[in-house]
Amino acid sequence: DPQLTMASEHTGLLKAGAQPGAGTFGVPEGLTTAEALVRLKEDGTNTLEAPPKEGILRIFVRQMQSVIFLLTCIAAVASYSLGDKYKAAILVFVVLFVIVLNTVGEYSSQDAGNALCKMAAPQTACIRDGREVLIEAAALVVGDVVVVKAGDVVPADMVILEAIDLKTNEAVLTGESSEVTKSTEPPMDPTAPFKSNMLYSSTEVISGFGKAEVTDTGMCTQVGLIAKRLGQNKSITEKNPLMSAVNKLASYLALVLALVIVCATLVAFWTGYQDPQKPCAEKDEVCFLKTAVLRAVVMSVALIPHGLPFICTVMLYVGSVGISKSNGLVMKVSAVDYLAATTVICTDKTGTLTEGRMSASLVLGFCQDEATRATGSSARESSLSFYPLKGLSPNGGIFSSSEVTQKHKEQMEKDFEATSHRQNFSQPGLRDLGVFTERSEAMKEGSLDALLAGIHMAIAFLACHGATLVKTESWEAKGNPTEVAVKVAAAKAGFWEEHGADGRDGRLPPVDSLRGMYPRQEGLEIPFNNVRKMAASIHEIPQNVNFTSELATSLKFPEDATHFAILKGAPEKICEAVGAMPLLREGTLELPGRELVEADQVLLKQRNMDLAQQALRSLLVAVRPLSSAEIEKLRSSSSADDRLAVVLKTPKMLCPLSLWGIYDPPRASVPGSIEKCRKAGIQVKMITGDQQATAAAIGAQIGILDESCGGSASTILCEKLHESSGRESAKSLRRISRRASEILRQTQEAAKGGKKSQSSLHPGEAGRGSRRLSVHDKRGPADFHEPEFRSEEELHELIGKVRCFARALPSDKVAIVASLMSSGEVVAMTGDGVNDAPALKSANVGVAMGITGTAVTQNASDLILMDDNFSTIVLAVEEGRRIFGNVQKYVTASLSLKFGEMLSLMVAIVLGIVTPLKPTVQLLNLFLTHVLCTWSFAFEEAEDYIMTIPPRNVKKDLVLNRTLVLYRWLPFVLYFPIIVYSSLCFGTIGTVGSVSNTKLLGSSLHIDLENGRSLCEHAGWQTEDGYKLDPRPFHCQCQVHEKGNPWLPASTFDQWGTSQQFTVDGDFQPLLHSKLFARSSFSQGLIAPCSQPEHKEKWCWAEHVNVMTSARPILPEGASCVEYGVKVGQSMSLVTIMLGEVLSLLSFRRDRSLSWALFRNPFYNLSFVMNICMMLFLVYGRLSSALDLVPLSPLQFLVAVTLALTMLLLNEVAKIFYRWQLNRDHEAVRQVK
């Protein structure tokens, strides 16, 4: 094995059996190289298997599974067979373009597995053969003893053997970026999924030193489980909701197309319907059938929405651009559609719902005054609140908690300026005590909050010297997150590193003067550790102060005090040591004050519990005056513990000053976004690695939890999703030392003791139900570390009613997502850590963070939030719904236009009248109106109701719904033929006198013209095979109305054939050349009734006149009044259709009246102008003769335009009834939800 060879080269391992007695030394000595090699061969290298990429061919095949594509390809074959090669090529190009575009986009976005493998530690310090060596991390085996220190990446899962101030960052597994203290002791919190006496692969050591024994390597580690879940790819048949809906619609449409082809062919063949300008010869049934089939195929091809996949793709890309404007980066365009259909958003807490930074929310102060001192009652309290909380920005106010209202907070959010260092957030009835002038005025009025605000912030600034806050392009901080939070709070009162208070704001003098007045004694510091759980800094008290300082005038020390100590740490530890309470006297806080009484201790503990119930991390700050003698003792102390003993020796001198409440605050925009989701029928579920109490508190603050959700039942530990199979961990079977085994045994016992019995949801039915979810896969020896999950039915029941999940493992998130999706939900999953990547990949929409998100998570996602803000997801959902609404409008409009034209052709065939458009012109209009104009729908604004109705039902979705069909599509399809034929009849009847196809075709019977059954007379020849009709007439008689208006009187216009050579150009108008085809030019001797008895009622040419002779007197092609009248009618129809359709698109664009849509979409406006210009060019330009169109008179054009406007008016009337029904539908679905 090349990997094993490489590992042995790097570690100097001996071959197995090369050393007699090769095996395990004691824990300090680690393994022998020979034993390590044996284990390496048995277990494999300590590497992660990169999940395979989904093949590009597989993705290509999945993209091809579209019924519209199939119909379009069939249409391309039909077009090619009928000789229209250009159209066939265009249709094939559209199909391939859309498929390739989507395939490349999806293939290029999958690289999560490689990114995960790159996170592994390259090398590590390991004890082999009793000495510490640096080896490749891939060569680690179970039982190896590893040495870790600050800055290392943990190379494998390990049990801790030694730990000195060891802290790690486990965000890769938990998503929580806070430091985790590690020790050899059993975990204090048995519910924690990742134990405090274990180190986990790919996590980072923040501080300290430790030794640990490897228990699991490679794919057996916790991060290996993530790699395993990342290897699960989508099914080849999986489609996004829009594609599924389009396929369902196209399936029904295919049936309609088949019906249209059959019916149109049979009706045309049965009625003998022909094109008046290009008729078939009499009794030529082959020609009849061919033209009937051709006409039906053209009708059906025109009915297929070829551009639907392309337009949908364009709209999804437009939606992705719209989402990018809201700080979202779309990795796969299908995410836009999934967002539109999202029914559940599963979101991480830290950094998504919250700011992602610890912030001081509250600070409580305690002191005695003369009254409480005399009576011995508990201390007076002060409560200060910080708002707004914007991460590291010191631009926020400090207020008396009792004065701040929700209205004040909303106003501050409106006034907040992100670029400002510090605004004055004072409002009527609310003072910003962080501003020096405001604080001074309040102190003059005797405000305890104002006095303590200045003292708290100054002491906090001095105490948190290990944290720094500076402004570059943005605010940046270094240090412990808790200290940084306190430092930011101090900055809100004017204390920050770089330049202190700004005199323009009227706050404090520069903080350098505060540091200079109270210099820190660096050699006397007491650092924090896990045993002490507190830290202390020593500061000198200024002597002979020659300028006024707020702290110097507000805080008074004993006369013999030369220094003071500031202690900060865990309240439960410091409370045990404090013995005095500060005394408020004459506007000054004196230290020490009165001795602490029992009521004071009760008060401190109660307030600490109150903060815990609010999910606030507490920090107690205490101050202790020090004399010169005590300072000498501190200097002579040899250790930090000795110095701490000196500080704590006299409890009556140590006073609690402030109790801080610190937490990761919710983003200000999140509660409103949660409420917006609720109104939109979208469930929001929070999945976090944090504690249950913290999850419940944050959930209640932002609105995920409310009175209707059943209280604590809506927040559970993720361990409740697991099956209590009683399976022992496979770690007990691994070859590890006795000490490591004992630590693991104690950990397992502590975990069992801290867990409640995991009984079945339904007593007596344990193990019931199916196990078909992805987390129910078969487990091998390497999967012992993954929990067994409950049955699919139990998970559905439990997950469906829970809103907050705490202490989540990566596999728990996958289980939650898989359960929701299998129950029919469309799920969006958010996350930033590597632990979230499997859930993101398995969800319908994986949403990664752009700022805090890892490369693994981002590569597994469909959408990246560039601002890490939950509200951006809601904006993306809104954009997705806008796009789907526009797709609905496009499909409704497109099918309305297509079915309207199809029905017009069917009416023509059934009634035997001339068609409104020729096939060539119809296909041209298809491109100009149905494609070029409809793409502008992608840029339509959202309807105002889209976020007030539940998501669509993707299982029943057909894009079109019953209301759209009955109130938009059907009315248009019904009145469209009426309006179009009104235009056709006006032009044709006004010019010719009839629209009957039979009359327009003409007849060879010499009595038909006289009886009004025909407008033209044809002659023919008697042959052995029967009578052969001359396709050109020798005589036409039209009823021409004045000004072409059928409502005005008509006059007879006679045309007779001529044997003269005559070429008709495109501008020729027969009605203006009556003398050219007068009866006098016709030779009567060339025509007579046929001699054969069976044809005696027909006209026949003389025997010497044959079909090839140029001497026969006929009306040249394009010269008859009948042909001209048909062209006039079809030209008017084209104007009415093109203008009416483009105006109807204006109406289809919005659900409101068209007045709301006018000029609001520049892309439609451009398309409208282009369409009108092309319409005028087709009718009045050089192409008109080639398309059998003629220029219209002003009256004819005006009538055609008026009828087009009538189409728009009727569409608006139908929309009134549509809106009425739409409101009823929306109200009905809201009540159901």
Side-chain angles (χ1 to χ4, degrees):
D1 188 331
Q3 289 182 310
L4 298 181
T5 303
M6 175 195 71
S8 63
E9 289 175 352
H10 282 284
T11 60
L13 296 177
L14 299 176
K15 293 183 179 180
Q19 179 176 322
T24 308
F25 288 109
V27 172
E29 292 81 20
L31 297 176
T32 64
T33 53
E35 176 65 15
L37 181 58
V38 171
R39 297 187 181 192
L40 190 62
K41 286 186 175 181
E42 291 179 354
D43 299 340
T45 57
N46 178 35
T47 55
L48 298 179
E49 298 173 5
K53 279 188 175 183
E54 187 175 10
I56 192 168
L57 181 60
R58 178 186 175 94
I59 299 174
F60 187 85
V61 171
R62 186 167 63 244
Q63 293 293 334
M64 286 180 61
Q65 297 174 21
S66 169
V67 179
I68 290 291
F69 286 156
L70 177 61
L71 294 177
T72 302
C73 290
I74 293 174
V77 172
S79 299
Y80 184 84
S81 302
L82 296 173
D84 196 344
K85 298 180 181 180
Y86 293 106
K87 182 181 180 182
I90 292 174
L91 293 177
V92 172
F93 172 78
V94 169
V95 170
L96 292 177
F97 177 79
V98 175
I99 292 176
V100 170
L101 187 67
N102 292 339
T103 299
V104 172
E106 186 169 342
Y107 179 77
S108 61
S109 64
Q110 47 171 351
D111 198 23
N114 291 333
L116 179 62
C117 294
K118 292 178 182 177
M119 295 184 65
Q123 293 182 321
T124 188
C126 176
I127 297 177
R128 290 277 176 89
D129 295 322
R131 59 191 177 89
E132 184 177 327
V133 293
L134 188 67
I135 68 171
E136 294 290 328
L140 280 180
V141 296
V142 173
D144 265 326
V145 177
V146 176
V147 179
V148 294
K149 60 183 183 302
D152 287 349
V153 175
V154 179
D157 285 4
M158 305 182 288
V159 60
I160 299 173
L161 305 176
E162 297 179 18
I164 301 175
D165 294 336
L166 187 60
K167 294 182 179 180
T168 62
N169 185 336
E170 296 181 347
V172 67
L173 297 175
T174 66
E176 307 294 329
S177 58
S178 58
E179 297 175 353
V180 180
T181 301
K182 296 293 185 177
S183 69
T184 59
E185 300 297 324
M188 296 293 292
D189 182 4
T191 66
F194 302 104
K195 309 306 179 184
S196 60
N197 60 355
M198 293 284 296
L199 296 177
Y200 296 97
S201 178
S202 298
T203 61
E204 183 181 359
V205 179
I206 301 299
S207 63
F209 169 86
K211 285 185 180 181
E213 184 172 339
V214 176
T215 59
D216 298 293
T217 60
M219 295 298 288
C220 294
T221 61
Q222 289 292 333
V223 77
L225 176 58
I226 295 175
K228 170 189 171 184
R229 292 298 175 198
L230 281 175
Q232 297 173 345
N233 289 318
K234 295 180 179 179
S235 167
I236 195 171
T237 58
E238 183 176 344
K239 304 177 186 67
N240 61 54
L242 180 58
M243 185 58 68
S244 298
V246 169
N247 275 355
K248 292 176 187 176
L249 178 65
S251 299
Y252 289 109
L253 192 58
L255 297 177
V256 174
L257 294 179
L259 186 64
V260 167
I261 292 176
V262 172
C263 292
T265 301
L266 292 178
V267 172
F269 186 75
W270 178 61
T271 60
Y273 184 86
Q274 297 193 68
D275 184 351
Q277 295 170 301
K278 296 180 179 180
C280 293
E282 191 174 3
K283 294 184 180 181
D284 189 349
E285 295 186 356
V286 174
C287 178
F288 279 129
L289 182 60
K290 181 179 179 180
T291 55
V293 172
L294 176 61
R295 187 181 299 106
V297 169
V298 170
M299 288 171 58
S300 61
V301 168
L303 199 59
I304 300 173
H306 307 292
L308 181 56
F310 176 73
I311 293 296
C312 287
T313 300
V314 169
M315 287 191 176
L316 293 178
Y317 273 98
V318 170
S320 67
V321 173
I323 291 174
S324 69
K325 295 178 181 178
S326 301
N327 291 319
L329 177 62
V330 176
M331 304 297 289
K332 300 175 184 175
V333 292
S334 60
V336 179
D337 176 45
Y338 276 116
L339 286 167
T342 295
T343 59
V344 179
I345 299 177
C346 295
T347 176
D348 188 21
K349 174 181 71 69
T350 305
T352 307
L353 298 175
T354 64
E355 292 285 350
R357 290 278 187 179
M358 300 302 291
S359 298
S361 170
L362 188 71
V363 60
L364 304 177
F366 309 94
C367 67
Q368 294 285 351
D369 59 15
E370 294 295 341
T372 57
R373 185 179 188 183
T375 60
S377 57
S378 62
R380 289 182 59 184
E381 296 181 68
S382 164
S383 178
L384 299 172
S385 296
F386 301 90
Y387 203 85
L389 303 177
K390 300 291 183 180
L392 296 177
S393 173
N395 189 17
I398 306 173
F399 311 96
S400 296
S401 299
S402 59
E403 296 179 357
V404 184
T405 65
Q406 185 60 35
K407 186 176 181 181
H408 288 142
K409 291 181 179 181
E410 292 174 357
Q411 186 59 47
M412 283 186 272
E413 289 292 342
K414 292 180 181 178
D415 296 339
F416 181 81
E417 298 175 2
T419 57
S420 177
H421 279 206
R422 180 61 161 87
Q423 297 170 251
N424 186 343
F425 289 98
S426 297
Q427 301 177 39
L430 183 68
R431 274 180 171 161
D432 185 349
L433 300 180
V435 178
F436 180 67
T437 53
E438 298 283 351
R439 187 162 66 246
S440 299
E441 289 296 323
M443 288 173 62
K444 291 177 182 179
E445 298 172 5
S447 170
L448 176 62
D449 287 341
L451 173 67
L452 293 184
I455 297 174
H456 291 335
M457 300 307 114
I459 293 296
F461 177 78
L462 293 173
C464 298
H465 55 84
T468 58
L469 178 69
V470 295
K471 176 69 180 293
T472 53
E473 294 182 358
S474 60
W475 287 98
E476 298 178 357
K478 294 181 180 180
N480 179 278
T482 301
E483 288 196 7
V484 168
V486 176
K487 200 64 169 282
V488 172
K492 294 176 181 179
F495 301 99
W496 60 69
E497 252 66 19
E498 201 168 335
H499 35 62
D502 190 337
R504 292 173 298 176
D505 291 342
R507 296 196 301 273
L508 293 172
V511 293
D512 288 337
S513 64
L514 186 65
R515 285 175 169 171
M517 287 180 62
Y518 301 95
R520 178 169 53 92
Q521 308 299 300
E522 295 186 14
L524 303 181
E525 289 182 12
I526 302 170
F528 182 93
N529 70 13
N530 297 330
V531 178
R532 290 188 289 268
K533 293 189 180 297
M534 67 178 75
S537 59
I538 312 300
H539 300 265
E540 184 179 349
I541 299 175
Q543 305 295 326
N544 303 319
V545 179
N546 56 8
F547 63 89
T548 301
S549 164
E550 183 181 11
L551 184 59
T553 58
S554 301
L555 190 62
K556 185 177 180 181
F557 295 100
E559 292 183 0
D560 64 339
T562 60
H563 295 74
F564 66 94
I566 305 175
L567 280 76
K568 61 181 186 292
E572 60 271 16
K573 285 288 187 179
I574 297 180
C575 280
E576 296 174 356
V578 296
M581 185 66 71
L583 177 64
L584 178 64
R585 180 185 293 169
E586 297 178 357
T588 303
L589 202 63
E590 297 181 2
L591 297 178
R594 185 194 73 180
E595 286 190 20
L596 212 66
V597 297
E598 184 178 355
D600 294 331
Q601 282 283 5
V602 172
L603 177 65
L604 288 173
K605 292 179 180 179
Q606 182 60 49
R607 294 296 172 261
N608 187 42
M609 290 177 60
D610 292 343
L611 295 181
Q613 290 174 356
Q614 299 175 51
L616 297 177
R617 181 180 299 177
S618 56
L619 177 75
L620 183 60
V621 176
V623 179
R624 201 261 200 214
L626 297 168
S627 64
S628 58
E630 291 170 322
I631 291 296
E632 289 303 320
K633 290 183 180 179
L634 289 172
R635 288 174 177 161
S636 62
S637 299
S638 60
S639 68
D641 288 334
D642 292 341
R643 292 193 292 273
L644 182 61
V646 173
V647 174
L648 301 181
K649 183 177 181 180
T650 310
K652 66 179 182 180
M653 297 298 291
L654 182 59
C655 303
L657 187 65
S658 56
L659 181 62
W660 292 76
I662 301 168
Y663 78 134
D664 185 6
R667 294 177 182 267
S669 60
V670 166
S673 298
I674 297 290
E675 176 62 18
K676 200 169 186 179
C677 286
R678 187 190 64 78
K679 292 181 178 178
I682 301 173
Q683 301 179 58
V684 180
K685 295 180 183 289
M686 182 171 67
I687 309 175
T688 178
D690 217 329
Q691 301 180 41
Q692 185 173 1
T694 303
I698 295 294
Q701 288 182 37
I702 62 180
I704 291 180
L705 300 180
D706 54 30
E707 296 178 357
S708 65
C709 66
S712 60
S714 289
T715 304
I716 65 167
L717 294 171
C718 282
E719 65 183 30
K720 292 185 179 293
L721 305 177
H722 304 163
E723 194 78 76
S724 56
S725 61
R727 183 180 63 166
E728 292 293 329
S729 171
K731 285 179 180 156
S732 61
L733 303 177
R734 308 290 288 176
R735 293 161 295 174
I736 56 179
S737 66
R738 290 183 178 179
R739 183 177 175 187
S741 299
E742 181 63 20
I743 295 174
L744 290 176
R745 185 187 62 79
Q746 293 176 359
T747 301
Q748 291 172 358
E749 290 178 355
K752 290 178 181 179
K755 293 181 180 180
K756 297 180 181 179
S757 177
Q758 296 289 329
S759 60
S760 175
L761 294 179
H762 300 273
E765 299 183 28
R768 73 183 184 95
S770 54
R771 309 183 69 81
R772 297 171 297 183
L773 302 180
S774 60
V775 291
H776 290 142
D777 53 350
K778 292 183 179 180
R779 305 293 169 82
D783 299 321
F784 64 87
H785 57 307
E786 185 176 8
E788 288 281 357
F789 287 91
R790 292 179 182 271
S791 69
E792 185 175 352
E793 290 78 9
E794 288 178 312
L795 288 177
H796 286 174
E797 183 177 348
L798 184 60
I799 292 172
K801 62 186 180 183
V802 173
R803 299 191 185 182
C804 294
F805 299 86
R807 293 303 194 193
L809 291 166
S811 55
D812 293 330
K813 299 182 179 184
V814 175
I816 293 169
V817 169
S819 176
L820 290 169
M821 291 174 60
S822 69
S823 61
E825 306 288 356
V826 178
V827 182
M829 174 71 199
T830 75
D832 54 359
V834 175
N835 62 311
D836 300 315
L840 263 64
K841 188 171 182 180
S842 62
N844 298 118
V845 187
V847 184
M849 303 299 110
I851 300 174
T852 60
T854 62
V856 178
T857 311
Q858 292 176 356
N859 289 337
S861 69
D862 305 294
L863 172 68
I864 298 176
L865 306 182
M866 304 310 294
D867 57 357
D868 290 9
N869 195 339
F870 176 83
S871 299
T872 302
I873 306 175
V874 182
L875 293 175
V877 170
E878 186 171 359
E879 180 67 15
R881 290 193 177 190
R882 180 186 75 85
I883 291 299
F884 179 76
N886 290 341
V887 170
Q888 275 190 314
K889 294 172 184 176
Y890 163 78
V891 173
T892 305
S894 179
L895 293 185
S896 296
L897 302 184
K898 292 178 181 299
F899 273 86
E901 292 182 7
M902 184 274 296
L903 186 59
S904 299
L905 294 177
M906 288 294 291
V907 168
I909 295 172
V910 172
L911 298 183
I913 57 180
V914 67
T915 58
L917 293 179
K918 291 184 177 296
T920 304
V921 179
Q922 182 183 3
L923 293 177
L924 187 60
N925 177 58
L926 173 70
F927 175 75
L928 293 175
T929 306
H930 298 201
V931 177
L932 290 185
C933 291
T934 52
W935 70 276
S936 63
F937 276 86
F939 304 95
E940 281 302 316
E941 298 175 1
E943 298 291 344
D944 54 5
Y945 58 78
I946 62 170
M947 292 301 286
T948 64
I949 57 175
R952 70 186 193 269
N953 187 338
V954 295
K955 292 183 178 180
K956 300 179 179 179
D957 186 27
L958 286 174
V959 182
L960 295 179
N961 54 45
R962 180 176 179 274
T963 301
L964 279 172
V965 171
L966 293 180
Y967 292 89
R968 298 304 305 272
W969 177 84
L970 184 59
F972 185 89
V973 171
L974 292 178
Y975 61 67
F976 181 88
I978 298 174
I979 293 175
V980 169
Y981 278 105
S982 296
S983 183
L984 177 73
C985 290
F986 187 94
T988 305
I989 294 177
T991 308
V992 179
S994 176
V995 290
S996 170
N997 207 44
T998 303
K999 291 184 178 181
L1000 297 174
L1001 283 171
S1003 173
S1004 60
L1005 298 175
H1006 43 73
I1007 61 172
D1008 280 353
L1009 182 64
E1010 297 177 2
N1011 296 333
R1013 291 196 294 265
S1014 173
L1015 297 180
C1016 291
E1017 292 182 302
H1018 294 253
W1021 297 270
Q1022 297 178 106
T1023 65
E1024 294 179 356
D1025 298 328
Y1027 183 81
K1028 185 174 182 179
L1029 182 71
D1030 191 335
R1032 297 303 307 166
F1034 66 86
H1035 177 213
C1036 286
Q1037 190 177 82
C1038 299
Q1039 300 296 316
V1040 181
H1041 294 261
E1042 295 181 13
K1043 300 180 180 180
N1045 186 346
W1047 304 106
L1048 296 179
S1051 58
T1052 301
F1053 183 83
D1054 258 336
Q1055 282 185 303
W1056 292 88
T1058 178
S1059 57
Q1060 298 179 4
Q1061 293 294 328
F1062 187 82
T1063 302
V1064 177
D1065 57 25
D1067 296 330
F1068 182 77
Q1069 297 186 27
L1071 302 183
L1072 300 179
H1073 301 83
S1074 57
K1075 296 181 179 180
L1076 190 61
F1077 301 104
R1079 183 171 184 136
S1080 57
S1081 62
F1082 185 77
S1083 177
Q1084 294 291 339
L1086 297 177
I1087 191 171
C1090 296
S1091 59
Q1092 295 181 359
E1094 62 271 22
H1095 301 137
K1096 63 180 180 180
E1097 296 180 350
K1098 299 180 180 180
W1099 292 111
C1100 282
W1101 293 113
E1103 293 183 0
H1104 66 277
V1105 178
N1106 58 56
V1107 71
M1108 298 300 297
T1109 183
S1110 59
R1112 73 185 197 279
I1114 56 173
L1115 290 170
E1117 186 173 354
S1120 75
C1121 60
V1122 170
E1123 290 175 304
Y1124 178 74
V1126 171
K1127 291 179 181 179
V1128 170
Q1130 290 181 336
S1131 298
M1132 286 189 65
S1133 297
L1134 176 65
V1135 172
T1136 300
I1137 289 174
M1138 289 190 69
L1139 181 59
E1141 287 183 346
V1142 76
L1143 288 175
S1144 295
L1145 294 180
L1146 173 64
S1147 180
F1148 278 113
R1149 280 171 46 197
R1150 303 287 292 179
D1151 290 343
R1152 294 184 179 185
S1153 63
L1154 64 87
S1155 59
W1156 288 86
L1158 285 175
F1159 311 117
R1160 296 177 70 91
N1161 187 336
F1163 297 97
Y1164 170 81
N1165 297 338
L1166 176 63
S1167 301
F1168 178 84
V1169 173
M1170 291 177 58
N1171 188 273
I1172 297 303
C1173 292
M1174 286 302 301
M1175 179 193 71
L1176 295 175
F1177 177 74
L1178 293 178
V1179 175
Y1180 295 98
R1182 296 181 178 180
L1183 282 179
S1184 60
S1185 58
L1187 297 174
D1188 289 332
L1189 301 173
V1190 295
L1192 300 176
S1193 68
L1195 176 62
Q1196 292 166 341
F1197 185 81
L1198 179 61
V1199 171
V1201 170
T1202 301
L1203 290 170
L1205 292 173
T1206 304
M1207 192 181 301
L1208 173 64
L1209 178 62
L1210 291 176
N1211 217 3
E1212 287 297 300
V1213 172
K1215 202 192 304 185
I1216 296 174
F1217 297 97
Y1218 168 72
R1219 287 198 300 269
W1220 170 78
Q1221 182 61 41
L1222 187 67
N1223 291 333
R1224 294 183 62 188
D1225 292 346
H1226 289 170
E1227 191 60 34
V1229 294
R1230 291 189 190 106
Q1231 291 177 359
V1232 170
K1233 288 291 180 179

